[in-house]
Amino acid sequence: MQPETLVRDHTVYACVMGSRAFGLATDTSDTDRRGVFLAPTPLFWRFQKPPTHVEGPGEEQFSWELERFCELALRGNPNILECLHSPLVEHLDDTGRELLSLREAFLSRRAHDTFTGYALGQRRKLEAGIRATGAPRWKHAMHLLRLLMSARDLLRTGELRIDVGDRREALLAVKRGEVPWAEVEAWMARLGTETEQALHRSPLPPEPDHARVAGFLFRVRRDSALQTDAYHEVVQGVVRGGRVGQG
């Protein structure tokens, strides 16, 4: 089974991410699409496993296999957690609905380390750019501020909301280079302090609910294995010489 077929025929959840989901889109913004596909269980019954992710087939499109997606979400990966909370859902089947119902199971205080760690990496890239060119990449500065706001608010409330709401204009002013870099730096420092303070009073649990997510994965893998058509597709592929597809 080709990777694009997995995305086309087995996607359980698809959404729009990036500036459009964050409420920061302008007329020139791209449309970044992200998705989750469920590889049929019989495809794992061979040496060559299905891919953990697929880039494409559309432009600005990227998808993860369900298990890999859940692994990353349990680790508190910011991109994955935000994908689960996109307000712009384009496709959802029954498995996808159950995945979304588990959103809070993935959230924990681990988000502090993952969000701030990612933010630190982005900050270093910004500073390297300033040293090289004399000016920051303002779009990246805007998104770094947005990420820090998201981390602080998640730790404060226990809920992850990715649309920036009434902070849109202030952030777009940063993107346009209308805010002096010294003010942007001070804003980042303040958000960092507020995020640290929020961690100590956070309503989030110390760890995500691994057992609940594992139970979900077991059920969907089992149900996929019991689908007769998928089973016969693999069996006949093995009979023909084991060439079930490239996966």
Side-chain angles (χ1 to χ4, degrees):
M1 187 175 294
Q2 297 297 323
E4 59 268 23
T5 302
L6 287 169
V7 174
R8 186 190 68 223
D9 295 343
H10 298 282
T11 290
V12 300
Y13 171 64
C15 67
V16 172
M17 284 301 300
S19 294
R20 297 192 183 281
F22 301 145
L24 292 168
T26 63
D27 292 340
T28 60
S29 296
D30 294 330
T31 300
D32 301 321
R33 289 185 163 87
R34 300 292 180 263
V36 182
F37 63 90
L38 173 63
T41 300
L43 294 181
F44 291 90
W45 301 342
R46 55 186 182 137
F47 288 117
Q48 188 177 12
K49 308 302 181 187
T52 58
H53 59 269
V54 174
E55 188 169 355
E59 293 185 8
E60 307 297 335
Q61 182 179 7
F62 192 96
S63 301
W64 295 268
E65 206 283 323
L66 179 63
E67 184 172 339
R68 177 60 174 166
F69 186 86
C70 288
E71 287 175 350
L72 293 172
L74 286 169
R75 295 177 192 173
N77 182 291
N79 292 324
I80 301 294
L81 293 179
E82 289 182 338
C83 183
L84 271 175
H85 291 79
S86 172
L88 303 177
V89 176
E90 293 192 320
H91 174 79
L92 197 64
D93 69 2
D94 289 343
T95 300
R97 290 187 185 89
E98 188 171 0
L99 174 65
L100 290 191
S101 76
L102 290 171
R103 284 187 293 197
E104 73 278 7
F106 294 105
L107 298 178
S108 72
R109 294 178 198 169
R110 281 189 178 189
H112 172 268
D113 291 340
T114 54
F115 276 67
T116 57
Y118 184 76
L120 179 59
Q122 295 301 106
R123 176 66 181 271
R124 287 172 176 161
K125 291 180 181 178
L126 273 173
E127 292 172 342
I130 294 172
R131 289 193 296 271
T133 67
R137 299 180 67 176
W138 293 110
K139 179 180 178 180
H140 291 188
M142 176 193 71
H143 282 298
L144 176 51
L145 287 166
R146 182 208 62 78
L147 180 68
L148 289 169
M149 291 176 182
S150 182
R152 178 199 61 188
D153 294 346
L154 169 59
L155 290 165
R156 280 179 174 176
T157 67
E159 298 180 3
L160 182 57
R161 296 182 181 179
I162 66 173
D163 190 301
V164 300
D166 60 7
R167 295 170 287 194
R168 169 183 164 86
E169 291 307 318
L171 287 167
L172 288 178
V174 173
K175 181 182 179 182
R176 294 190 295 264
E178 298 171 359
V179 182
W181 176 241
E183 291 186 22
V184 173
E185 284 187 304
W187 193 355
M188 290 177 181
R190 184 168 65 253
L191 287 169
T193 299
E194 291 170 353
T195 300
E196 290 293 332
Q197 293 170 344
L199 172 64
H200 301 296
R201 299 189 295 270
S202 179
L204 290 173
E207 297 290 331
D209 193 340
H210 287 268
R212 188 176 171 195
V213 177
F216 161 67
L217 283 171
F218 175 83
R219 289 194 305 276
V220 297
R221 288 279 191 244
R222 178 196 60 197
D223 292 346
S224 174
L226 293 174
Q227 291 179 9
T228 303
D229 290 344
Y231 175 81
H232 284 303
E233 177 186 349
V234 173
V235 169
Q236 295 197 12
V238 172
V239 170
R240 290 194 300 268
R243 295 185 297 274
V244 184
Q246 298 303 308

